[in-house]
Amino acid sequence: MNEKKAMQAARRRSLTFTVVRGAAAIGIAILVAAILIFVSSEGDRFGATLAALRQLLIGPLFRANGSINFKNICDVLAAMIPTIFTGLATCVMFSANQFNLGAEGGIMLGAFVSAMVAVYVPLPAGVLPVVAVLAAAAAVAVMMLIPALLKAKLGVSEMVNSLMLNYVVMYFIKYVLNTHLADKTKGQIQSYPFQEQARIAPLIDNGSMLTWGFVIALIFVVITALFMYRTRWGYGIRMIGINQDFARYSGMNVAAIIILSQVLGGALAGIGGGVEMLGRYSAYSWNALPGYGWTGITVAILAGNNPAFVPLAAFFMAYLNKGCSLMSTYCGVPSQLIDILQAVIFVFFAAKQFLAGYRQRLVVKGAQEELAAQKAAAAETAEGSVK
């Protein structure tokens, strides 16, 4: 019983440290943003900075008159959909200590495959979007076999392979679309329109892009969390991430689990691409990597590679993105500020020594409390034996 209490206390300390560390990184990022806005402003710099920060921090929720902006909130939730999937994909791969960056190309390939199914496969409503998304998941899972097998069998860096693979996927899609599948009647390079029954329906009909894909994303958060923390395969993935040598000596098939983690991550990215494409677009027209995979890395880092926290991290990133867009529209601040914010957050989360002293104090305090509890229990036992 004491061991169970000690483990619970250790988890609470770890969660406290993660929350404080995250809040500190976010606070520093916002401070950096404020400094940059102040320096680049003209005239009343304080007023311009306060107005810009208001749009960044409050604008996505409230209108100028103080009323809740429901459409903006729906836009934020809609923007979470692809980054939830890429965040989950990255969580699974990073949990196995596999620094696979292929979610960016994976979500693009998943979007393309689902779009082609939506255009050319004649299936009824309710079946076609499911088949399109499953095809996207399968295609990206196969794509992720390349870096996974190279890492498991030959020890080749999955980070380098997956990073290069993103651009191979992008240029392959551009070639196929431009050469064979483009609708030549349009003024831009895009596919033929999707069949109407392939579309994922809106969740709320208020002009936003919030679709049932948001509910699907939350369902996959639950599935991924249960898989990672309630199955032996998830345990194996996490154990390899903690100590690969120990996992090997304990009898785990390390190569198979490395492949499994990257294939599952690819499948999640593919599902995200399919859900995003069929919910937001009526034809495939992406001609560059969409950026959702890079944001998914930040989301996974913010979530501490815990799938349960991915929606919160994705909401935060989508909220910041919307706030930066509003700053650009109303205050003339470049929307690229979101890239600076992401970079600062990433740097402080990646820095192992950031707030290391605070973590040490938490550990020491916990050890002192546990020692005091043991002494109290021993004193009670001795008193009982005397009586």
Side-chain angles (χ1 to χ4, degrees):
M1 192 68 179
N2 289 334
E3 291 182 1
K4 185 177 180 180
K5 289 182 178 179
M7 291 178 62
Q8 291 175 344
R11 291 195 192 99
R12 285 196 298 270
R13 290 194 297 270
S14 178
L15 180 60
T16 300
F17 174 73
T18 301
V19 171
V20 171
R21 191 167 185 252
I26 292 167
I28 292 171
I30 293 173
L31 178 61
V32 169
I35 293 172
L36 291 175
I37 295 169
F38 180 83
V39 171
S40 61
S41 299
E42 297 179 357
D44 183 7
R45 292 185 173 182
F46 285 103
T49 302
L50 290 175
L53 289 178
R54 184 196 178 282
Q55 292 296 337
L56 174 66
L57 302 176
I58 303 176
L61 287 179
F62 299 100
R63 295 187 176 90
N65 60 7
S67 61
I68 295 177
N69 194 326
F70 191 64
K71 183 180 180 302
N72 274 0
I73 296 174
C74 289
D75 288 339
V76 170
L77 297 180
M80 290 171 57
I81 297 172
T83 55
I84 284 178
F85 281 105
T86 54
L88 291 174
T90 307
C91 278
V92 172
M93 294 186 288
F94 280 16
S95 292
N97 203 27
Q98 302 302 302
F99 294 99
N100 189 311
L101 307 179
E104 177 70 5
I107 200 167
M108 187 175 189
L109 180 60
F112 180 72
V113 170
S114 65
M116 294 305 100
V117 173
V119 172
Y120 295 108
V121 178
L123 289 173
V127 177
L128 182 52
V130 174
V131 171
V133 170
L134 291 178
V140 183
V142 171
M143 166 194 143
M144 288 298 191
L145 276 174
I146 298 173
L149 288 172
L150 288 173
K151 175 61 180 288
K153 301 301 182 182
L154 301 177
V156 180
S157 170
E158 75 284 357
M159 182 175 68
V160 175
N161 275 324
S162 59
L163 185 60
M164 293 190 297
L165 193 58
N166 289 333
Y167 295 95
V168 173
V169 167
M170 180 186 72
Y171 286 113
F172 171 77
I173 290 173
K174 291 178 71 172
Y175 166 74
V176 172
L177 186 61
N178 293 348
T179 308
H180 302 289
L181 302 175
D183 185 354
K184 304 299 183 180
T185 65
K186 302 297 182 182
Q188 64 175 355
I189 303 299
Q190 67 176 58
S191 71
Y192 289 94
F194 301 156
Q195 301 172 69
E196 188 59 35
Q197 67 268 28
R199 303 292 303 280
I200 295 177
L203 183 60
I204 298 175
D205 191 10
N206 64 346
S208 70
M209 292 294 179
L210 184 61
T211 67
W212 281 95
F214 181 74
V215 177
I216 297 171
L218 295 182
I219 291 172
F220 272 93
V221 168
V222 175
I223 292 173
T224 307
L226 290 175
F227 172 82
M228 291 297 294
Y229 291 96
R230 292 292 184 270
T231 69
R232 64 185 181 91
W233 300 284
Y235 173 78
I237 288 173
R238 291 186 293 111
M239 182 53 62
I240 283 180
I242 295 171
N243 192 324
Q244 185 169 313
D245 291 333
F246 174 79
R248 181 180 291 108
Y249 293 139
S250 64
M252 292 184 182
N253 190 336
V254 172
I257 295 175
I258 286 175
I259 294 171
L260 174 66
S261 66
Q262 298 189 54
V263 168
L264 286 178
L268 287 167
I271 292 171
V275 169
E276 176 71 0
M277 180 56 57
L278 300 182
R280 187 180 288 264
Y281 300 91
S282 58
Y284 184 89
S285 60
W286 291 1
N287 57 12
L289 295 171
Y292 300 134
W294 311 133
T295 304
I297 294 172
T298 307
V299 167
I301 291 172
L302 284 173
N305 290 337
N306 187 333
F309 296 145
V310 163
L312 295 175
F315 176 81
F316 171 73
M317 295 307 301
Y319 190 94
L320 274 186
N321 201 359
K322 185 66 175 180
C324 287
S325 177
L326 292 174
M327 281 198 305
S328 176
T329 302
Y330 296 107
C331 303
V333 177
S335 58
Q336 288 78 10
L337 184 66
I338 184 66
D339 296 327
I340 298 175
L341 293 177
Q342 286 189 34
V344 173
I345 293 170
F346 184 88
V347 165
F348 281 99
F349 264 83
K352 293 184 178 180
Q353 297 304 315
F354 180 55
L355 294 184
Y358 175 69
R359 176 170 54 188
Q360 184 178 5
R361 287 195 295 273
L362 282 178
V363 172
V364 171
K365 182 180 178 182
Q368 291 174 343
E369 290 176 350
E370 185 176 349
L371 181 60
Q374 291 175 353
K375 287 181 177 180
E380 289 180 3
T381 303
E383 184 180 350
S385 62
V386 169
K387 290 181 179 179

